[in-house]
Amino acid sequence: MIVARQKRKENIAEYLIYMWQVEDLIRACQFDIERIGRTLIDAYEQPEEVKQEITRWYEELIEMMRSEGVLESGHLQVNKNILTALTDLHLRLLKDPQEMVYGALYYKTLPHIIQLRAKSGGIEISELETCFTALYGYMLLRLQHREVHPETLEAVKQINTFLSFLAEKYREE
């Protein structure tokens, strides 16, 4: 909750990836708030009232995940809404003739997006969701201390640059 608030204010792209990670952590803890408390909340060096607030935040997320049917996979509607807002901004920026830097970044990233989509096995997701999925997958590989192919690393760097620029435009709005 504390990290989420800060990331949402500072960088919406980092926030979205963080929230995807929170969804997966909740799943890994099998939606058990006691386990989440022991595994995640107790690690925070915060006063007890803040830990209680964090616990309520996780409880609300658990309830949302249950009610939205994203127990095994998928993302909360609030996170999908952020992706939609970013997609809307992305499309507006591409149409804006004064946003040449954004357009150049996008077209430099596009071959990586196309390549990633080709590897997805026919799953239809937006270009931006493809980018976020790539960054999230890279983060998971790093957490597992797995080797990352140089070609993948190059794609991730370009996608990160592109999404960072988009996040900055979002923050400016």
mmCIF file with all atom_site columns, all heavy atoms in Angstrom, residues 89-110:
data_model
loop_
_atom_site.group_PDB
_atom_site.id
_atom_site.type_symbol
_atom_site.label_atom_id
_atom_site.label_alt_id
_atom_site.label_comp_id
_atom_site.label_asym_id
_atom_site.label_entity_id
_atom_site.label_seq_id
_atom_site.pdbx_PDB_ins_code
_atom_site.Cartn_x
_atom_site.Cartn_y
_atom_site.Cartn_z
_atom_site.occupancy
_atom_site.B_iso_or_equiv
_atom_site.pdbx_formal_charge
_atom_site.auth_seq_id
_atom_site.auth_comp_id
_atom_site.auth_asym_id
_atom_site.auth_atom_id
_atom_site.pdbx_PDB_model_num
ATOM 1   N N   . LEU A 1 89  ? -3.958 7.520  -23.964 1.00 0.00 ? 89  LEU A N   1
ATOM 2   C CA  . LEU A 1 89  ? -2.914 8.538  -24.051 1.00 0.00 ? 89  LEU A CA  1
ATOM 3   C C   . LEU A 1 89  ? -1.934 8.187  -25.169 1.00 0.00 ? 89  LEU A C   1
ATOM 4   O O   . LEU A 1 89  ? -1.547 9.052  -25.961 1.00 0.00 ? 89  LEU A O   1
ATOM 5   C CB  . LEU A 1 89  ? -2.189 8.672  -22.706 1.00 0.00 ? 89  LEU A CB  1
ATOM 6   C CG  . LEU A 1 89  ? -0.990 9.615  -22.691 1.00 0.00 ? 89  LEU A CG  1
ATOM 7   C CD1 . LEU A 1 89  ? -1.406 11.038 -23.068 1.00 0.00 ? 89  LEU A CD1 1
ATOM 8   C CD2 . LEU A 1 89  ? -0.325 9.586  -21.308 1.00 0.00 ? 89  LEU A CD2 1
ATOM 9   N N   . HIS A 1 90  ? -1.538 6.941  -25.232 1.00 0.00 ? 90  HIS A N   1
ATOM 10  C CA  . HIS A 1 90  ? -0.616 6.461  -26.265 1.00 0.00 ? 90  HIS A CA  1
ATOM 11  C C   . HIS A 1 90  ? -1.157 6.807  -27.663 1.00 0.00 ? 90  HIS A C   1
ATOM 12  O O   . HIS A 1 90  ? -0.430 7.359  -28.501 1.00 0.00 ? 90  HIS A O   1
ATOM 13  C CB  . HIS A 1 90  ? -0.431 4.943  -26.096 1.00 0.00 ? 90  HIS A CB  1
ATOM 14  C CG  . HIS A 1 90  ? 0.134  4.233  -27.266 1.00 0.00 ? 90  HIS A CG  1
ATOM 15  N ND1 . HIS A 1 90  ? 1.446  4.374  -27.680 1.00 0.00 ? 90  HIS A ND1 1
ATOM 16  C CD2 . HIS A 1 90  ? -0.428 3.340  -28.123 1.00 0.00 ? 90  HIS A CD2 1
ATOM 17  C CE1 . HIS A 1 90  ? 1.651  3.617  -28.739 1.00 0.00 ? 90  HIS A CE1 1
ATOM 18  N NE2 . HIS A 1 90  ? 0.533  2.975  -29.027 1.00 0.00 ? 90  HIS A NE2 1
ATOM 19  N N   . LEU A 1 91  ? -2.411 6.501  -27.899 1.00 0.00 ? 91  LEU A N   1
ATOM 20  C CA  . LEU A 1 91  ? -3.003 6.772  -29.213 1.00 0.00 ? 91  LEU A CA  1
ATOM 21  C C   . LEU A 1 91  ? -3.078 8.267  -29.509 1.00 0.00 ? 91  LEU A C   1
ATOM 22  O O   . LEU A 1 91  ? -2.834 8.697  -30.644 1.00 0.00 ? 91  LEU A O   1
ATOM 23  C CB  . LEU A 1 91  ? -4.380 6.121  -29.309 1.00 0.00 ? 91  LEU A CB  1
ATOM 24  C CG  . LEU A 1 91  ? -4.376 4.588  -29.256 1.00 0.00 ? 91  LEU A CG  1
ATOM 25  C CD1 . LEU A 1 91  ? -5.802 4.048  -29.182 1.00 0.00 ? 91  LEU A CD1 1
ATOM 26  C CD2 . LEU A 1 91  ? -3.618 3.998  -30.440 1.00 0.00 ? 91  LEU A CD2 1
ATOM 27  N N   . ARG A 1 92  ? -3.401 9.057  -28.483 1.00 0.00 ? 92  ARG A N   1
ATOM 28  C CA  . ARG A 1 92  ? -3.434 10.528 -28.666 1.00 0.00 ? 92  ARG A CA  1
ATOM 29  C C   . ARG A 1 92  ? -2.042 11.061 -29.000 1.00 0.00 ? 92  ARG A C   1
ATOM 30  O O   . ARG A 1 92  ? -1.888 11.925 -29.870 1.00 0.00 ? 92  ARG A O   1
ATOM 31  C CB  . ARG A 1 92  ? -3.964 11.217 -27.416 1.00 0.00 ? 92  ARG A CB  1
ATOM 32  C CG  . ARG A 1 92  ? -5.458 11.171 -27.265 1.00 0.00 ? 92  ARG A CG  1
ATOM 33  C CD  . ARG A 1 92  ? -6.014 12.177 -26.265 1.00 0.00 ? 92  ARG A CD  1
ATOM 34  N NE  . ARG A 1 92  ? -5.227 12.394 -25.070 1.00 0.00 ? 92  ARG A NE  1
ATOM 35  C CZ  . ARG A 1 92  ? -5.354 11.694 -23.921 1.00 0.00 ? 92  ARG A CZ  1
ATOM 36  N NH1 . ARG A 1 92  ? -6.236 10.728 -23.825 1.00 0.00 ? 92  ARG A NH1 1
ATOM 37  N NH2 . ARG A 1 92  ? -4.600 11.978 -22.888 1.00 0.00 ? 92  ARG A NH2 1
ATOM 38  N N   . LEU A 1 93  ? -1.032 10.560 -28.300 1.00 0.00 ? 93  LEU A N   1
ATOM 39  C CA  . LEU A 1 93  ? 0.337  11.024 -28.541 1.00 0.00 ? 93  LEU A CA  1
ATOM 40  C C   . LEU A 1 93  ? 0.805  10.658 -29.947 1.00 0.00 ? 93  LEU A C   1
ATOM 41  O O   . LEU A 1 93  ? 1.497  11.449 -30.594 1.00 0.00 ? 93  LEU A O   1
ATOM 42  C CB  . LEU A 1 93  ? 1.290  10.446 -27.498 1.00 0.00 ? 93  LEU A CB  1
ATOM 43  C CG  . LEU A 1 93  ? 1.112  10.966 -26.069 1.00 0.00 ? 93  LEU A CG  1
ATOM 44  C CD1 . LEU A 1 93  ? 1.948  10.140 -25.088 1.00 0.00 ? 93  LEU A CD1 1
ATOM 45  C CD2 . LEU A 1 93  ? 1.469  12.440 -25.973 1.00 0.00 ? 93  LEU A CD2 1
ATOM 46  N N   . LEU A 1 94  ? 0.423  9.470  -30.409 1.00 0.00 ? 94  LEU A N   1
ATOM 47  C CA  . LEU A 1 94  ? 0.813  9.065  -31.759 1.00 0.00 ? 94  LEU A CA  1
ATOM 48  C C   . LEU A 1 94  ? 0.188  9.953  -32.833 1.00 0.00 ? 94  LEU A C   1
ATOM 49  O O   . LEU A 1 94  ? 0.797  10.191 -33.877 1.00 0.00 ? 94  LEU A O   1
ATOM 50  C CB  . LEU A 1 94  ? 0.421  7.605  -32.017 1.00 0.00 ? 94  LEU A CB  1
ATOM 51  C CG  . LEU A 1 94  ? 1.292  6.541  -31.369 1.00 0.00 ? 94  LEU A CG  1
ATOM 52  C CD1 . LEU A 1 94  ? 0.748  5.153  -31.676 1.00 0.00 ? 94  LEU A CD1 1
ATOM 53  C CD2 . LEU A 1 94  ? 2.748  6.655  -31.808 1.00 0.00 ? 94  LEU A CD2 1
ATOM 54  N N   . LYS A 1 95  ? -1.006 10.444 -32.563 1.00 0.00 ? 95  LYS A N   1
ATOM 55  C CA  . LYS A 1 95  ? -1.705 11.296 -33.539 1.00 0.00 ? 95  LYS A CA  1
ATOM 56  C C   . LYS A 1 95  ? -1.243 12.754 -33.474 1.00 0.00 ? 95  LYS A C   1
ATOM 57  O O   . LYS A 1 95  ? -1.503 13.516 -34.408 1.00 0.00 ? 95  LYS A O   1
ATOM 58  C CB  . LYS A 1 95  ? -3.211 11.239 -33.288 1.00 0.00 ? 95  LYS A CB  1
ATOM 59  C CG  . LYS A 1 95  ? -3.820 9.916  -33.655 1.00 0.00 ? 95  LYS A CG  1
ATOM 60  C CD  . LYS A 1 95  ? -5.305 9.902  -33.340 1.00 0.00 ? 95  LYS A CD  1
ATOM 61  C CE  . LYS A 1 95  ? -5.896 8.534  -33.617 1.00 0.00 ? 95  LYS A CE  1
ATOM 62  N NZ  . LYS A 1 95  ? -7.305 8.446  -33.216 1.00 0.00 ? 95  LYS A NZ  1
ATOM 63  N N   . ASP A 1 96  ? -0.589 13.132 -32.393 1.00 0.00 ? 96  ASP A N   1
ATOM 64  C CA  . ASP A 1 96  ? -0.170 14.518 -32.190 1.00 0.00 ? 96  ASP A CA  1
ATOM 65  C C   . ASP A 1 96  ? 1.122  14.796 -32.975 1.00 0.00 ? 96  ASP A C   1
ATOM 66  O O   . ASP A 1 96  ? 2.172  14.229 -32.660 1.00 0.00 ? 96  ASP A O   1
ATOM 67  C CB  . ASP A 1 96  ? 0.051  14.783 -30.694 1.00 0.00 ? 96  ASP A CB  1
ATOM 68  C CG  . ASP A 1 96  ? 0.322  16.236 -30.382 1.00 0.00 ? 96  ASP A CG  1
ATOM 69  O OD1 . ASP A 1 96  ? 0.723  16.998 -31.289 1.00 0.00 ? 96  ASP A OD1 1
ATOM 70  O OD2 . ASP A 1 96  ? 0.144  16.615 -29.211 1.00 0.00 ? 96  ASP A OD2 1
ATOM 71  N N   . PRO A 1 97  ? 1.065  15.678 -33.991 1.00 0.00 ? 97  PRO A N   1
ATOM 72  C CA  . PRO A 1 97  ? 2.262  15.943 -34.800 1.00 0.00 ? 97  PRO A CA  1
ATOM 73  C C   . PRO A 1 97  ? 3.406  16.587 -34.009 1.00 0.00 ? 97  PRO A C   1
ATOM 74  O O   . PRO A 1 97  ? 4.552  16.553 -34.444 1.00 0.00 ? 97  PRO A O   1
ATOM 75  C CB  . PRO A 1 97  ? 1.750  16.878 -35.905 1.00 0.00 ? 97  PRO A CB  1
ATOM 76  C CG  . PRO A 1 97  ? 0.450  17.397 -35.428 1.00 0.00 ? 97  PRO A CG  1
ATOM 77  C CD  . PRO A 1 97  ? -0.093 16.435 -34.426 1.00 0.00 ? 97  PRO A CD  1
ATOM 78  N N   . GLN A 1 98  ? 3.094  17.149 -32.854 1.00 0.00 ? 98  GLN A N   1
ATOM 79  C CA  . GLN A 1 98  ? 4.146  17.764 -32.037 1.00 0.00 ? 98  GLN A CA  1
ATOM 80  C C   . GLN A 1 98  ? 4.856  16.753 -31.138 1.00 0.00 ? 98  GLN A C   1
ATOM 81  O O   . GLN A 1 98  ? 5.831  17.098 -30.487 1.00 0.00 ? 98  GLN A O   1
ATOM 82  C CB  . GLN A 1 98  ? 3.558  18.903 -31.206 1.00 0.00 ? 98  GLN A CB  1
ATOM 83  C CG  . GLN A 1 98  ? 3.060  20.041 -32.059 1.00 0.00 ? 98  GLN A CG  1
ATOM 84  C CD  . GLN A 1 98  ? 2.600  21.215 -31.235 1.00 0.00 ? 98  GLN A CD  1
ATOM 85  O OE1 . GLN A 1 98  ? 2.557  21.160 -30.021 1.00 0.00 ? 98  GLN A OE1 1
ATOM 86  N NE2 . GLN A 1 98  ? 2.263  22.296 -31.916 1.00 0.00 ? 98  GLN A NE2 1
ATOM 87  N N   . GLU A 1 99  ? 4.384  15.537 -31.114 1.00 0.00 ? 99  GLU A N   1
ATOM 88  C CA  . GLU A 1 99  ? 4.983  14.495 -30.272 1.00 0.00 ? 99  GLU A CA  1
ATOM 89  C C   . GLU A 1 99  ? 5.895  13.585 -31.089 1.00 0.00 ? 99  GLU A C   1
ATOM 90  O O   . GLU A 1 99  ? 5.759  12.365 -31.080 1.00 0.00 ? 99  GLU A O   1
ATOM 91  C CB  . GLU A 1 99  ? 3.885  13.681 -29.568 1.00 0.00 ? 99  GLU A CB  1
ATOM 92  C CG  . GLU A 1 99  ? 3.147  14.433 -28.502 1.00 0.00 ? 99  GLU A CG  1
ATOM 93  C CD  . GLU A 1 99  ? 4.021  14.802 -27.303 1.00 0.00 ? 99  GLU A CD  1
ATOM 94  O OE1 . GLU A 1 99  ? 5.103  14.212 -27.111 1.00 0.00 ? 99  GLU A OE1 1
ATOM 95  O OE2 . GLU A 1 99  ? 3.611  15.699 -26.552 1.00 0.00 ? 99  GLU A OE2 1
ATOM 96  N N   . MET A 1 100 ? 6.845  14.206 -31.767 1.00 0.00 ? 100 MET A N   1
ATOM 97  C CA  . MET A 1 100 ? 7.747  13.445 -32.630 1.00 0.00 ? 100 MET A CA  1
ATOM 98  C C   . MET A 1 100 ? 8.651  12.513 -31.827 1.00 0.00 ? 100 MET A C   1
ATOM 99  O O   . MET A 1 100 ? 8.952  11.401 -32.285 1.00 0.00 ? 100 MET A O   1
ATOM 100 C CB  . MET A 1 100 ? 8.574  14.398 -33.489 1.00 0.00 ? 100 MET A CB  1
ATOM 101 C CG  . MET A 1 100 ? 7.741  15.131 -34.526 1.00 0.00 ? 100 MET A CG  1
ATOM 102 S SD  . MET A 1 100 ? 8.709  16.189 -35.606 1.00 0.00 ? 100 MET A SD  1
ATOM 103 C CE  . MET A 1 100 ? 9.317  17.416 -34.462 1.00 0.00 ? 100 MET A CE  1
ATOM 104 N N   . VAL A 1 101 ? 9.086  12.932 -30.664 1.00 0.00 ? 101 VAL A N   1
ATOM 105 C CA  . VAL A 1 101 ? 9.950  12.087 -29.840 1.00 0.00 ? 101 VAL A CA  1
ATOM 106 C C   . VAL A 1 101 ? 9.193  10.831 -29.414 1.00 0.00 ? 101 VAL A C   1
ATOM 107 O O   . VAL A 1 101 ? 9.726  9.721  -29.489 1.00 0.00 ? 101 VAL A O   1
ATOM 108 C CB  . VAL A 1 101 ? 10.476 12.859 -28.602 1.00 0.00 ? 101 VAL A CB  1
ATOM 109 C CG1 . VAL A 1 101 ? 11.225 11.935 -27.659 1.00 0.00 ? 101 VAL A CG1 1
ATOM 110 C CG2 . VAL A 1 101 ? 11.358 14.017 -29.035 1.00 0.00 ? 101 VAL A CG2 1
ATOM 111 N N   . TYR A 1 102 ? 7.945  11.019 -29.006 1.00 0.00 ? 102 TYR A N   1
ATOM 112 C CA  . TYR A 1 102 ? 7.151  9.868  -28.603 1.00 0.00 ? 102 TYR A CA  1
ATOM 113 C C   . TYR A 1 102 ? 6.965  8.910  -29.781 1.00 0.00 ? 102 TYR A C   1
ATOM 114 O O   . TYR A 1 102 ? 7.134  7.695  -29.644 1.00 0.00 ? 102 TYR A O   1
ATOM 115 C CB  . TYR A 1 102 ? 5.786  10.291 -28.050 1.00 0.00 ? 102 TYR A CB  1
ATOM 116 C CG  . TYR A 1 102 ? 5.005  9.099  -27.548 1.00 0.00 ? 102 TYR A CG  1
ATOM 117 C CD1 . TYR A 1 102 ? 5.264  8.557  -26.298 1.00 0.00 ? 102 TYR A CD1 1
ATOM 118 C CD2 . TYR A 1 102 ? 4.039  8.491  -28.345 1.00 0.00 ? 102 TYR A CD2 1
ATOM 119 C CE1 . TYR A 1 102 ? 4.577  7.435  -25.852 1.00 0.00 ? 102 TYR A CE1 1
ATOM 120 C CE2 . TYR A 1 102 ? 3.345  7.373  -27.912 1.00 0.00 ? 102 TYR A CE2 1
ATOM 121 C CZ  . TYR A 1 102 ? 3.617  6.846  -26.663 1.00 0.00 ? 102 TYR A CZ  1
ATOM 122 O OH  . TYR A 1 102 ? 2.949  5.734  -26.227 1.00 0.00 ? 102 TYR A OH  1
ATOM 123 N N   . GLY A 1 103 ? 6.620  9.467  -30.934 1.00 0.00 ? 103 GLY A N   1
ATOM 124 C CA  . GLY A 1 103 ? 6.439  8.641  -32.120 1.00 0.00 ? 103 GLY A CA  1
ATOM 125 C C   . GLY A 1 103 ? 7.701  7.870  -32.475 1.00 0.00 ? 103 GLY A C   1
ATOM 126 O O   . GLY A 1 103 ? 7.659  6.685  -32.804 1.00 0.00 ? 103 GLY A O   1
ATOM 127 N N   . ALA A 1 104 ? 8.842  8.541  -32.380 1.00 0.00 ? 104 ALA A N   1
ATOM 128 C CA  . ALA A 1 104 ? 10.120 7.881  -32.691 1.00 0.00 ? 104 ALA A CA  1
ATOM 129 C C   . ALA A 1 104 ? 10.394 6.740  -31.706 1.00 0.00 ? 104 ALA A C   1
ATOM 130 O O   . ALA A 1 104 ? 10.833 5.653  -32.115 1.00 0.00 ? 104 ALA A O   1
ATOM 131 C CB  . ALA A 1 104 ? 11.251 8.899  -32.661 1.00 0.00 ? 104 ALA A CB  1
ATOM 132 N N   . LEU A 1 105 ? 10.128 6.978  -30.430 1.00 0.00 ? 105 LEU A N   1
ATOM 133 C CA  . LEU A 1 105 ? 10.316 5.920  -29.428 1.00 0.00 ? 105 LEU A CA  1
ATOM 134 C C   . LEU A 1 105 ? 9.398  4.730  -29.708 1.00 0.00 ? 105 LEU A C   1
ATOM 135 O O   . LEU A 1 105 ? 9.814  3.574  -29.600 1.00 0.00 ? 105 LEU A O   1
ATOM 136 C CB  . LEU A 1 105 ? 10.036 6.460  -28.020 1.00 0.00 ? 105 LEU A CB  1
ATOM 137 C CG  . LEU A 1 105 ? 11.179 7.156  -27.313 1.00 0.00 ? 105 LEU A CG  1
ATOM 138 C CD1 . LEU A 1 105 ? 10.695 7.778  -26.012 1.00 0.00 ? 105 LEU A CD1 1
ATOM 139 C CD2 . LEU A 1 105 ? 12.314 6.192  -27.041 1.00 0.00 ? 105 LEU A CD2 1
ATOM 140 N N   . TYR A 1 106 ? 8.167  5.036  -30.043 1.00 0.00 ? 106 TYR A N   1
ATOM 141 C CA  . TYR A 1 106 ? 7.206  3.965  -30.341 1.00 0.00 ? 106 TYR A CA  1
ATOM 142 C C   . TYR A 1 106 ? 7.677  3.132  -31.536 1.00 0.00 ? 106 TYR A C   1
ATOM 143 O O   . TYR A 1 106 ? 7.702  1.900  -31.464 1.00 0.00 ? 106 TYR A O   1
ATOM 144 C CB  . TYR A 1 106 ? 5.818  4.557  -30.610 1.00 0.00 ? 106 TYR A CB  1
ATOM 145 C CG  . TYR A 1 106 ? 4.862  3.558  -31.206 1.00 0.00 ? 106 TYR A CG  1
ATOM 146 C CD1 . TYR A 1 106 ? 4.369  2.497  -30.446 1.00 0.00 ? 106 TYR A CD1 1
ATOM 147 C CD2 . TYR A 1 106 ? 4.476  3.646  -32.537 1.00 0.00 ? 106 TYR A CD2 1
ATOM 148 C CE1 . TYR A 1 106 ? 3.504  1.559  -30.998 1.00 0.00 ? 106 TYR A CE1 1
ATOM 149 C CE2 . TYR A 1 106 ? 3.607  2.715  -33.095 1.00 0.00 ? 106 TYR A CE2 1
ATOM 150 C CZ  . TYR A 1 106 ? 3.124  1.676  -32.321 1.00 0.00 ? 106 TYR A CZ  1
ATOM 151 O OH  . TYR A 1 106 ? 2.280  0.754  -32.864 1.00 0.00 ? 106 TYR A OH  1
ATOM 152 N N   . TYR A 1 107 ? 8.058  3.799  -32.615 1.00 0.00 ? 107 TYR A N   1
ATOM 153 C CA  . TYR A 1 107 ? 8.449  3.065  -33.822 1.00 0.00 ? 107 TYR A CA  1
ATOM 154 C C   . TYR A 1 107 ? 9.771  2.312  -33.627 1.00 0.00 ? 107 TYR A C   1
ATOM 155 O O   . TYR A 1 107 ? 9.999  1.285  -34.266 1.00 0.00 ? 107 TYR A O   1
ATOM 156 C CB  . TYR A 1 107 ? 8.471  3.974  -35.051 1.00 0.00 ? 107 TYR A CB  1
ATOM 157 C CG  . TYR A 1 107 ? 7.059  4.312  -35.469 1.00 0.00 ? 107 TYR A CG  1
ATOM 158 C CD1 . TYR A 1 107 ? 6.545  5.595  -35.307 1.00 0.00 ? 107 TYR A CD1 1
ATOM 159 C CD2 . TYR A 1 107 ? 6.217  3.327  -35.975 1.00 0.00 ? 107 TYR A CD2 1
ATOM 160 C CE1 . TYR A 1 107 ? 5.230  5.884  -35.660 1.00 0.00 ? 107 TYR A CE1 1
ATOM 161 C CE2 . TYR A 1 107 ? 4.908  3.606  -36.326 1.00 0.00 ? 107 TYR A CE2 1
ATOM 162 C CZ  . TYR A 1 107 ? 4.420  4.888  -36.159 1.00 0.00 ? 107 TYR A CZ  1
ATOM 163 O OH  . TYR A 1 107 ? 3.114  5.164  -36.493 1.00 0.00 ? 107 TYR A OH  1
ATOM 164 N N   . LYS A 1 108 ? 10.600 2.786  -32.720 1.00 0.00 ? 108 LYS A N   1
ATOM 165 C CA  . LYS A 1 108 ? 11.823 2.044  -32.375 1.00 0.00 ? 108 LYS A CA  1
ATOM 166 C C   . LYS A 1 108 ? 11.484 0.809  -31.537 1.00 0.00 ? 108 LYS A C   1
ATOM 167 O O   . LYS A 1 108 ? 12.178 -0.202 -31.596 1.00 0.00 ? 108 LYS A O   1
ATOM 168 C CB  . LYS A 1 108 ? 12.794 2.960  -31.614 1.00 0.00 ? 108 LYS A CB  1
ATOM 169 C CG  . LYS A 1 108 ? 14.146 2.357  -31.414 1.00 0.00 ? 108 LYS A CG  1
ATOM 170 C CD  . LYS A 1 108 ? 15.123 3.356  -30.822 1.00 0.00 ? 108 LYS A CD  1
ATOM 171 C CE  . LYS A 1 108 ? 16.485 2.700  -30.660 1.00 0.00 ? 108 LYS A CE  1
ATOM 172 N NZ  . LYS A 1 108 ? 17.444 3.596  -30.057 1.00 0.00 ? 108 LYS A NZ  1
ATOM 173 N N   . THR A 1 109 ? 10.397 0.881  -30.773 1.00 0.00 ? 109 THR A N   1
ATOM 174 C CA  . THR A 1 109 ? 9.967  -0.224 -29.902 1.00 0.00 ? 109 THR A CA  1
ATOM 175 C C   . THR A 1 109 ? 9.096  -1.222 -30.664 1.00 0.00 ? 109 THR A C   1
ATOM 176 O O   . THR A 1 109 ? 9.061  -2.401 -30.317 1.00 0.00 ? 109 THR A O   1
ATOM 177 C CB  . THR A 1 109 ? 9.172  0.350  -28.697 1.00 0.00 ? 109 THR A CB  1
ATOM 178 O OG1 . THR A 1 109 ? 9.945  1.369  -28.074 1.00 0.00 ? 109 THR A OG1 1
ATOM 179 C CG2 . THR A 1 109 ? 8.858  -0.727 -27.674 1.00 0.00 ? 109 THR A CG2 1
ATOM 180 N N   . LEU A 1 110 ? 8.423  -0.771 -31.689 1.00 0.00 ? 110 LEU A N   1
ATOM 181 C CA  . LEU A 1 110 ? 7.447  -1.598 -32.409 1.00 0.00 ? 110 LEU A CA  1
ATOM 182 C C   . LEU A 1 110 ? 7.991  -2.950 -32.890 1.00 0.00 ? 110 LEU A C   1
ATOM 183 O O   . LEU A 1 110 ? 7.304  -3.966 -32.728 1.00 0.00 ? 110 LEU A O   1
ATOM 184 C CB  . LEU A 1 110 ? 6.838  -0.805 -33.574 1.00 0.00 ? 110 LEU A CB  1
ATOM 185 C CG  . LEU A 1 110 ? 5.674  -1.465 -34.310 1.00 0.00 ? 110 LEU A CG  1
ATOM 186 C CD1 . LEU A 1 110 ? 4.531  -1.805 -33.351 1.00 0.00 ? 110 LEU A CD1 1
ATOM 187 C CD2 . LEU A 1 110 ? 5.182  -0.548 -35.432 1.00 0.00 ? 110 LEU A CD2 1
#
